[in-house]
Amino acid sequence: MSAEPDRGPAAVITPGNGSGGGPGDGAGGARPLPAGLSWRADTRQWLVHSHDLADVVLRDPHVGMELAPDRVPVPLPTPDEVPSVAQFFELWYQRGANQPAFGRHLRRAYAPAAVAGFAAGFAELAERRAAALSGAGDLVTDFVEPFCLDSTLLLMGFPPDRWPALAKVYRIVMSVILARSRGVLDLPARQAAAFTTALRYLRTAVDELTAGAAVTPVVASFQAHAETEGPNPWADVAAVAQLLAAGVPQVTTGTAVACRCAYGDPALLAALREGTADTADVAEEAMRLAPPFLGVYGWVLADCDCLGVPLRPGEAVVVDIVAVNRDPNRMADPLAFCPGRSRSLNITFGKGAHYCLGAASARLQVVAGLVGLVGSRGIHPDVSGFRLADDGFAQTVRAFPYGMGGG
């Protein structure tokens, strides 16, 4: 699962100014906007709330994920220098959606056929994590997040003996990303030192990974890019960090909301254990109602009127995933949990040019986590204690208490 991490302050996705006029309005006053579209003046964003308009804008070539045209690049580090926070994010941006050559290699690595072979490994990891639970605790920290991180590292090709240290690296990097989302680049000395140490370790692990055989399609994608474009080890490090940050928290949320739905309905839980309910359908519907990412963010790249109003280069367009996934004009009873709905009703993973790179692997991971947990009959999650936080950009699971007892 992926999204562009830095588009300025995250918009809280609400209708904002309703159907009022957009930026082209002058003294003539506001004009009606097409149904499903609103303009948020304080953040200067077009907000898309309907399935019909989302179908249009997510496929229109005039709206893309390129960086803002007025953005000033940051000088990059040499191979022997550890990147500063600002340089790390510059490497992140340049190697991410804004470097098509790398994107082509990576899309092949995350294609459904490429990741299908990891399903058994994901299932084994989930079963092992579930079997290790004992006493009482929080499923987020004891099962869901560790499983999602381990399965992602497996997909990337890192050897298991590096996973504990990489888990620490991941948490340090995520703390820096959180600080960055709040506009903080000058870290306290202790956090800055930890970040430098984490990047050095990650560089060693990535260099080791890419120097050997192509043990996974992800490794092959990094090696293929280096062969065609030349080696850039710090950009590789930033890309690995981006894949972790854009995947692990979102797969964690997806797995947790799927498990909440299962344990919140005794009949569904029994059907899953009996094999009469489809775990993939349950996971898909859970993520339709509680998508990890709240929006798909893009920029207008050239003048167009694909949304029924004039769009100008540089304006932001946000597709409200929650609203679109609950569009009453596309589905009956949109707030009801109904496994088996068509996937076309669910834009949790985006669509068209904005389709999530890791959608296929994320779906496999969420299903494996759900199967692993519900298969362990001695685990009793407390659905009433489930907590999901919303920062206006993403939903993050904060708590899911559990106890142990007889099946």
Side-chain angles (χ1 to χ4, degrees):
M1 308 167 78
S2 64
E4 291 303 291
D6 185 36
R7 291 287 181 253
V12 177
I13 303 178
T14 61
N17 292 336
S19 61
D25 296 324
R31 60 187 171 175
L33 297 178
L37 180 68
S38 63
W39 169 252
R40 182 166 176 175
D42 59 335
T43 55
R44 298 193 62 77
Q45 293 172 319
W46 291 104
L47 303 181
V48 175
H49 312 287
S50 74
H51 239 293
D52 287 343
L53 290 184
D55 285 343
V56 171
V57 77
L58 291 175
R59 299 181 189 278
D60 194 283
H62 299 96
V63 179
M65 305 301 289
E66 283 79 356
L67 293 174
D70 58 350
R71 184 176 164 279
V72 178
V74 175
L76 297 178
T78 67
D80 296 328
E81 295 175 330
V82 178
S84 66
V85 174
Q87 289 174 325
F88 169 77
F89 283 105
E90 183 70 21
L91 289 161
W92 174 310
Y93 303 142
Q94 292 191 13
R95 178 56 77 85
N98 300 281
Q99 191 173 76
F102 181 64
R104 286 193 293 273
H105 294 302
L106 209 55
R107 279 194 295 274
R108 288 194 287 270
Y110 279 88
V115 301
F118 290 90
F122 293 164
E124 181 182 350
L125 286 174
E127 291 171 5
R128 190 186 311 158
R129 282 283 181 184
L133 294 173
S134 61
D138 190 330
L139 284 174
V140 178
T141 56
D142 296 352
F143 172 76
V144 182
E145 186 178 75
F147 158 70
C148 293
L149 183 54
D150 286 353
S151 56
T152 300
L153 295 172
L154 174 70
L155 180 68
M156 289 182 171
F158 288 106
D161 62 341
R162 284 205 179 270
W163 292 1
L166 287 171
K168 295 178 182 178
V169 168
Y170 164 75
R171 293 186 183 94
I172 292 169
V173 170
M174 289 303 298
S175 72
V176 173
I177 292 171
L178 178 61
R180 172 61 174 147
S181 71
R182 296 170 176 166
V184 177
L185 280 176
D186 294 326
L187 302 177
R190 184 174 179 180
Q191 188 179 13
F195 183 61
T196 296
T197 300
L199 289 187
R200 284 199 182 103
Y201 183 87
L202 190 55
R203 166 78 181 268
T204 299
V206 172
D207 285 351
E208 176 185 273
L209 186 67
T210 55
V215 292
T216 69
V218 173
V219 176
S221 71
F222 279 83
Q223 293 173 335
H225 184 72
E227 289 174 4
T228 57
E229 303 294 327
N232 191 335
W234 283 122
D236 288 348
V237 167
V240 168
Q242 184 175 24
L243 292 172
L244 290 171
V248 176
Q250 291 70 40
V251 175
T252 297
T253 297
T255 303
V257 297
C259 292
R260 175 186 62 174
C261 289
Y263 283 94
D265 183 342
L268 176 60
L269 180 61
L272 286 169
R273 286 173 169 169
E274 293 165 1
T276 56
D278 189 313
T279 51
D281 286 346
V282 170
E284 193 77 13
E285 181 69 351
M287 289 187 286
R288 179 188 71 83
L289 288 169
F293 282 121
L294 296 173
V296 180
Y297 297 79
W299 297 99
V300 179
L301 305 178
D303 289 310
C304 72
D305 59 359
C306 64
L307 293 177
V309 295
L311 302 180
R312 297 174 179 81
E315 291 177 354
V317 178
V318 181
V319 177
D320 182 343
I321 294 176
V322 175
V324 172
N325 278 356
R326 302 179 180 192
D327 187 347
N329 295 317
R330 279 292 183 96
M331 67 194 81
D333 202 3
L335 298 182
F337 178 77
C338 299
R341 293 184 196 263
S342 170
R343 279 190 180 181
S344 67
L345 300 174
N346 183 4
I347 69 158
T348 290
F349 294 103
K351 184 174 287 189
H354 302 272
Y355 189 65
C356 174
L357 176 76
S361 58
R363 285 184 166 112
L364 288 177
Q365 288 169 280
V366 172
V367 168
L370 174 60
V371 171
L373 193 64
V374 301
S376 298
R377 295 174 180 261
I379 302 169
H380 299 284
D382 177 8
V383 176
S384 67
F386 185 91
R387 296 290 181 269
L388 200 62
D390 171 352
D391 64 4
F393 179 73
Q395 299 194 90
T396 304
V397 61
R398 297 299 189 196
F400 199 178
Y402 73 96
M404 304 292 293

